[in-house]
Amino acid sequence: MSTPFVVKFQSHEAAIATVQSLQEMKAAIADMSISVNRPVLVVIGGASKISAADYELIQQLFVKVLAPIAQKWQAAIVDGGTDTGVMQLMGRARQQIQGTFPLIGISPVGLVTLPGQAIDSEQAAPLEPHHSHFLLVPGSNWGDESSWLAAAASEIAQSAPSVTVLLNGGEITWEDALQNVTVQQRPLIVISGSGRAADLITAGLRGEPTDDRAIPLIDSGRVQAIELTDLYRLGKTIEAMFAANPVDAG
């Protein structure tokens, strides 16, 4: 494991560590002073092929629901950490509400670039500049981080409640969902109406034709869908999950 260090963005600093094993990841979480046994929200999916009107709704979902809930509960949010899609929306929402909750990005070490580094691959992506922590895990392909992301969330939550929110999403989202739901046994809220993977899973929940990859998720009994337009219900559902097993987040 690399010794955690601070990476400086334009108006923000974040702690970062590179890990090679789950044991190293556990040690890095402690070394970066991320408190454990606290509620955790995992955010997965994408933000592609979305209309302008729906994109505005999605922005509100992050600014009006996810970020304020994390702030209220001092929950940790775990996502993919790059400056794209839902990770970018999550980082900007944390900045907009001046949040102090931990926002932890889990990314493949072979694909991300630090501030000031040149992007040397078409597949590479910069880190999102409003996250508070990053864990760089083994991998040189997007999706290599999926099992690590789900495991990191469980390590931080421990006995506290955790929930995954899936919005839109492409190919990698299916593996992210599988790791969270079937491996880590974490409940999943699918944002219906946000497109792509989210809508295919919603169709399956209704008994309609769907992608085969949705079947093990649905069969787990841990998946529910909430409409993109029903932000109130989304907030109440997440808070009810967190309140079901309240812990001291300190």
Side-chain angles (χ1 to χ4, degrees):
M1 180 185 79
S2 71
T3 301
F5 61 96
V6 172
V7 61
K8 294 185 178 181
F9 296 98
Q10 187 172 359
S11 59
H12 175 72
E13 293 184 348
I16 187 168
T18 302
V19 300
Q20 296 292 330
S21 68
L22 292 177
Q23 192 60 36
E24 287 187 0
M25 182 179 71
K26 182 176 181 178
I29 288 169
D31 288 347
M32 292 194 292
S33 301
I34 301 171
S35 298
V36 298
N37 204 35
R38 66 195 302 154
V40 174
L41 179 62
V42 181
V43 179
I44 61 175
S48 298
K49 301 178 182 178
I50 296 172
S51 70
D54 284 348
Y55 191 80
E56 186 173 340
L57 269 176
I58 288 168
Q59 286 180 310
Q60 293 302 304
L61 183 152
F62 284 89
V63 175
K64 300 293 187 183
V65 180
L66 301 185
I69 286 175
Q71 185 66 18
K72 174 182 176 180
W73 290 83
Q74 277 300 291
I77 293 185
V78 178
D79 64 17
T82 58
D83 198 21
T84 58
V86 296
M87 294 86 74
Q88 182 183 79
L89 288 165
M90 192 68 253
R92 290 180 178 181
R94 182 179 186 269
Q95 170 74 1
Q96 187 168 335
I97 73 161
Q98 298 183 330
T100 58
F101 59 87
L103 177 52
I104 304 144
I106 316 291
S107 303
V109 67
L111 284 174
V112 296
T113 57
L114 303 183
Q117 284 185 338
I119 297 177
D120 57 4
S121 164
E122 289 185 0
Q123 297 296 315
L127 296 175
E128 198 286 322
H130 303 110
H131 279 60
S132 59
H133 302 80
F134 296 96
L135 287 169
L136 304 186
V137 301
S140 55
N141 296 293
W142 295 115
D144 289 347
E145 74 280 10
S146 293
S147 63
W148 295 85
L149 192 156
S154 295
E155 173 59 33
I156 295 166
Q158 297 191 10
S159 62
S162 62
V163 58
T164 302
V165 174
L166 186 157
L167 188 146
N168 188 267
E171 292 299 309
I172 294 166
T173 300
W174 292 103
E175 182 61 25
D176 285 340
L178 195 68
Q179 288 289 331
N180 278 280
V181 173
T182 65
V183 178
Q184 300 296 335
Q185 301 186 359
R186 182 171 295 114
L188 173 67
I189 299 173
V190 176
I191 306 302
S192 178
S194 63
R196 301 199 295 164
D199 286 357
L200 286 168
I201 297 169
T202 300
L205 287 168
R206 294 174 180 151
E208 300 168 2
T210 186
D211 191 293
D212 288 345
R213 292 171 290 185
I215 294 171
L217 302 174
I218 294 166
D219 287 349
S220 73
R222 299 186 186 95
V223 182
Q224 63 177 298
I226 295 179
E227 289 289 336
L228 175 59
T229 53
D230 199 349
L231 299 184
Y232 177 82
R233 182 184 167 207
L234 175 63
K236 289 298 182 184
T237 299
I238 294 172
E239 291 215 64
M241 289 178 170
F242 284 175
N245 183 19
V247 296
D248 178 9

